């Protein structure tokens, strides 16, 4: 598996190049950031060279389309999606992800129909560029009632939704936090095929009853109670060999320096990967 | 438009041939019944001749697949669907319909995902046989809370769902009762294109506040308060020229003879079509 | 039906506004041009006002994607497609068309597979903006061997291809010239449903054996041998009520003034529509 | 990888149970046969017990649909497809395969459109039952001109076709004979992802120039000139861990006893798997 970083959890880093340098210095294999922004800043050739210089790959870009609001907002994002996909392709990035909130102010069934159509189109466009779309189910219990109507939050619901979307390039973004807050087990992971997983997020949870765990209160891998060795070794066992990106959502920006935070992340990764026998 | 009958509302008729004879004697253009059952009873050639003898066309068959329950029940119906579609094709029937209950005991969003996948497959199979699939939204208010969670019941939701299903041969089954219980207007119909409408049901409602109208308490066209002339003339204006089938769901089987009930239906049709200027 | 003009056959007109003025002065209902270019020149509001001032609608835009060459060229066109579709939507245009050459230098079956995938994606993107995609089969015999391998050129092949593409918003662009050079009949048109036709081109052919008719040697409606009254009345009979755009491809630019050429077009339209009883 | 047998190359075996016994005695892991026929002979429970008794899995069923001829023949096969898929599912078989002839008497591009639509529907139906569809490209040169028009025969063309079909459950049936007769290399296999491969056929070729190799002149693994160790080790390297079924098409039925032929097959498998380091 490839160890990766997102900016989430690393404090105030500054430029993308600084982010790349930090990740590279700490021995990470990949970063998740906007390919399009990288090319806009450094040019296509410059961006490619930057990634080569720091020996980093791009794990995933974020889906730059507002598929949760109204139709005008959705359509307004499609030109940017084609540009984002073209940029990702130029930088060898083949993954694009979005998260699925577990409740909604819209009528659930109707919103599911709208979202199915919208995400299918996103997947179709991404597929033309050789990019897969990862859907992240979101487990924390408080979000299930944060908006008026329940939507979906379990892995099985998300797999069923992926079937309903029906495109070959759609799969899961599997986040350890949501695996934990859904009370999923190692056996649940072992039922997956590796190509059902588009991307993986790594982070840890405080020692709280699962119902009390907040979405933006995550901690560094190895510092909490999630069975990350079980999580990682199960992924390895089923043949998943791709990116595992840290994403630490916190209530406020950490005050340590990015260097300290990256080091902490590195230590966490080493600890849990070692415990997983990887 | 072609005037059609279903058995619903005609009492206890007996054989399919008796149903055909009744419909024919009263001057109707079509009947809705199972093409497969007709062929099983009379043979393919016999069924064709029967329809010719009575100068009737088959309007629509019912979708013979349980798409609302679990996956096993759904799969168990697919062989029958291919047989039903093949039979419909042999008898020149190009429509197949199913209704959508406005609430469900399953989680709404998840059920929408499952139902989208299932009805898409039904549409794909039907499409191979040149048959369109009509989805009937169901308006009565009491059914919106008859099961645990709200599903969908409006025309717009259903159109959005048809888009999510994404197959070219899916459209609306437009039932005057559900048009009325959704408080829809002539203008709502005028926004439709004729090919969005797969089939039409005709019937009337008692003079009750719309919130109190029960689904299985329908009456004969022209005997109630639905603006059927407005309904029919709007359909004509947008270019709809296909079947309009009577479907009278009642709390108990009518006690009049089928002959009397068909005559009553005929009178109702003549009245509302005349009032519509058709 | 709505009478429309393309620039093809009108000589050297100058600006889009001049084109609009010419079309309007001659009483045409619509023009086919690039919605995106119109908005780029006059602004969104300016373009809308221009169309209102001249009482014209936009019939169809051209598909701005190179789907016949290699994959890079195809992908390079997708951002422009989203922009073109967004522009068309802003101006109320719901049609986009492309032509299908009847032979190809690529292996036929393989190219069909590639083109199916590419045009499906174009249709999917256009569909999100409420735009239909029209595929124009191209009949002239000389083009069937102009490249190494035969592709498709008949209406039936194109309808079968539309089924293979499988999107609800794809249909035919029906060009009278290709109807004629395919030796199609009025009965062939009568077998169509109106929603299978996305757009119509009108023009005429010289009095030559059908095998000798050249694609870019077209003449004005009513000046040649095509049974345009039969063509138009059949379209009317099946319920087609949308745009009919003139497209006169000629070996060299006509020398008459645009005013004369538009008048000639107007006379041609009046003649053949009158002969069709429309 | 799982070692499997088809009946092709084993002479005249007799009943399915004898086939299972032969395969089991020789230590094979799987057989390819009709799940539906097995259930029809032995009952569902009997068929399950038979497979358990002989410790065998079902590798793949054949697609029981005529997709290469006319539409009536295609439609006539769909009920059988649903029955075959239901039977396969009952016996835990998740693969269904068909071969693609490299030339055709139909116009190539048109046939590609028809075949795309037909195989998409087959894939959609199979997918509902959790079954994948494998398409076998066919390499022998003599078949490329055996019918009027070239169709497709390369792995890349087939992958592009799979993209055009566009369903998540379609992939390659990779046959060592067609890999060889297409002059493909180990590197070509290494470019594949394991989930792109639905099924694998193993057999060997005589020492002839590749252009002269006949499709039905195959020999047992390890007795010919195909680099089967390279073939198998490449599949292992990319992570393919599923069925590898022998299929020996010969000009006439072998005269040796099935016992001798299965032993010969076993020896061949052992030889080439050992040479592949597996």
């Amino acid at each position: 598996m490839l160890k990766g970083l997102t900016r989430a959890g690393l404090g105030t880093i500054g430029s993308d190049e600084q982010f790349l340098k930090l990740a590279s210095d700490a021995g990470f294999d990949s970063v998740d950031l906007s390919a399009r922004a990288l090319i806009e800043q450094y040019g296509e050739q410059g961006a490619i060279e930057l990634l080569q210089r720091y020996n980093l790959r791009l794990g995933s870009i974020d889906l730059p389309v507002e598929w949760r609001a109204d139709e005008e907002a959705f359509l307004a994002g499609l030109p940017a999606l084609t540009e984002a996909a073209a940029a990702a392709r130029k930088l060898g990035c083949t993954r694009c992800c979005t998260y699925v909130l577990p409740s909604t102010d819209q009528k659930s069934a109707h919103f599911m129909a709208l979202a199915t159509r919208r995400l299918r189109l996103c997947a179709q466009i991404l597929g033309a560029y050789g990019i897969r779309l990862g859907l992240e189910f979101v487990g924390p219990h408080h979000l299930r009632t944060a908006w008026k109507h329940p939507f979906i939050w379990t892995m099985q619901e998300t797999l069923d939704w992926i079937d309903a979307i029906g495109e070959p390039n759609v799969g899961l973004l599997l986040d350890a936090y949501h695996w934990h807050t859904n009370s999923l087990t190692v056996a649940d992971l072992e039922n997956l095929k590796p190509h059902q997983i588009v991307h993986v997020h790594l982070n840890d949870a405080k020692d709280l009853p699962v119902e009390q765990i907040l979405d933006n209160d995550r901690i560094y891998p190895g510092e909490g109670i999630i069975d990350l060795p079980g999580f990682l070794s199960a992924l390895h066992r089923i043949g998943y060999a791709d990116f595992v990106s840290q994403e630490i959502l916190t209530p406020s920006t950490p005050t340590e320096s990015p260097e300290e935070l990256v080091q902490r992340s590195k230590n966490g990764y080493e600890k849990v990967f070692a415990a997983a026998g990887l």
Side-chain angles (χ1 to χ4, degrees), chain A:
Chain A
M1 280 183 271
L2 300 159
K3 294 168 186 153
L5 287 177
T6 67
R7 280 170 173 261
L10 301 187
T12 309
I13 298 181
S15 76
D16 277 340
E17 176 159 8
Q18 284 173 283
F19 176 32
L20 293 173
K21 187 171 185 319
L22 276 172
S24 181
D25 287 350
F28 280 91
D29 301 306
S30 66
V31 290
D32 291 354
L33 51 69
S34 163
R36 191 181 182 191
L38 205 68
I39 287 178
E40 281 170 1
Q41 292 168 78
Y42 305 99
E44 177 179 340
Q45 200 47 44
I48 290 171
E49 285 167 11
L50 215 51
L51 290 166
Q52 286 174 338
R53 184 179 325 143
Y54 292 112
N55 196 28
L56 287 168
R57 291 172 58 186
L58 282 195
S60 176
I61 61 170
D62 288 339
L63 183 70
V65 173
E66 180 46 276
W67 56 271
R68 301 178 193 87
D70 68 15
E71 198 64 17
E72 290 307 315
F74 172 67
L75 291 177
L78 294 183
L81 177 60
T82 57
E83 302 285 3
R89 188 164 183 267
K90 284 173 183 163
L91 302 187
C93 174
T94 60
R95 285 160 179 83
C96 175
C97 293
T98 193
Y99 57 90
V100 180
L101 291 173
S103 54
T104 171
D105 283 340
Q106 300 179 58
K107 276 184 66 180
S108 300
H110 185 212
F111 179 52
M112 175 53 89
L114 295 173
T116 298
R117 173 172 57 72
R118 289 175 188 160
L119 288 181
R120 182 183 303 137
L121 182 62
C122 293
Q124 289 161 338
I125 291 172
L126 289 166
Y129 293 90
I131 297 171
R132 300 171 68 203
L133 174 62
L135 302 188
E136 181 179 23
F137 56 93
V138 169
H141 293 226
H142 68 109
L143 292 180
R144 301 176 189 183
T145 50
W147 294 273
K148 277 187 211 160
H149 306 291
F151 193 55
I152 63 170
W153 55 78
T154 75
M155 188 167 83
Q156 186 56 51
E157 288 168 338
T158 312
L159 289 170
D160 286 334
W161 192 19
I162 289 166
D163 279 349
I165 292 172
E167 294 296 318
N169 63 323
V170 185
L172 297 171
L173 162 47
L174 206 54
D175 184 307
Y177 208 75
H178 305 312
W179 177 69
H180 177 68
T181 49
N182 263 301
S183 304
L184 292 169
T185 66
V186 162
D188 292 314
L189 298 176
E190 288 173 339
N191 283 329
L192 295 173
K193 302 279 182 191
H195 75 271
Q196 292 182 290
I197 307 170
V198 169
H199 200 36
V200 173
H201 279 169
L202 202 70
N203 44 55
D204 218 328
K206 292 183 179 166
D207 188 2
L208 290 169
V210 72
E211 297 78 9
Q212 296 174 27
I213 292 177
L214 298 178
D215 190 50
N216 72 338
D217 196 23
R218 308 186 192 187
I219 56 180
Y220 295 82
E223 301 186 6
I225 60 160
I226 302 183
D227 176 17
L228 294 179
F231 180 78
L232 291 169
S233 61
L235 291 179
H236 176 72
R237 215 148 44 239
I238 63 167
Y240 182 77
D242 293 310
F243 301 101
V244 177
S245 292
Q246 177 179 269
E247 191 200 43
I248 316 286
L249 305 180
T250 52
S252 57
T253 307
T255 53
E256 297 95 323
S257 74
E259 287 73 16
E260 289 171 300
L261 292 167
V262 168
Q263 187 58 44
R264 191 169 173 182
S265 304
K266 173 189 166 73
N267 295 343
Y269 263 67
E270 286 179 353
K271 177 180 169 188
V272 296
F273 271 78
L278 300 172

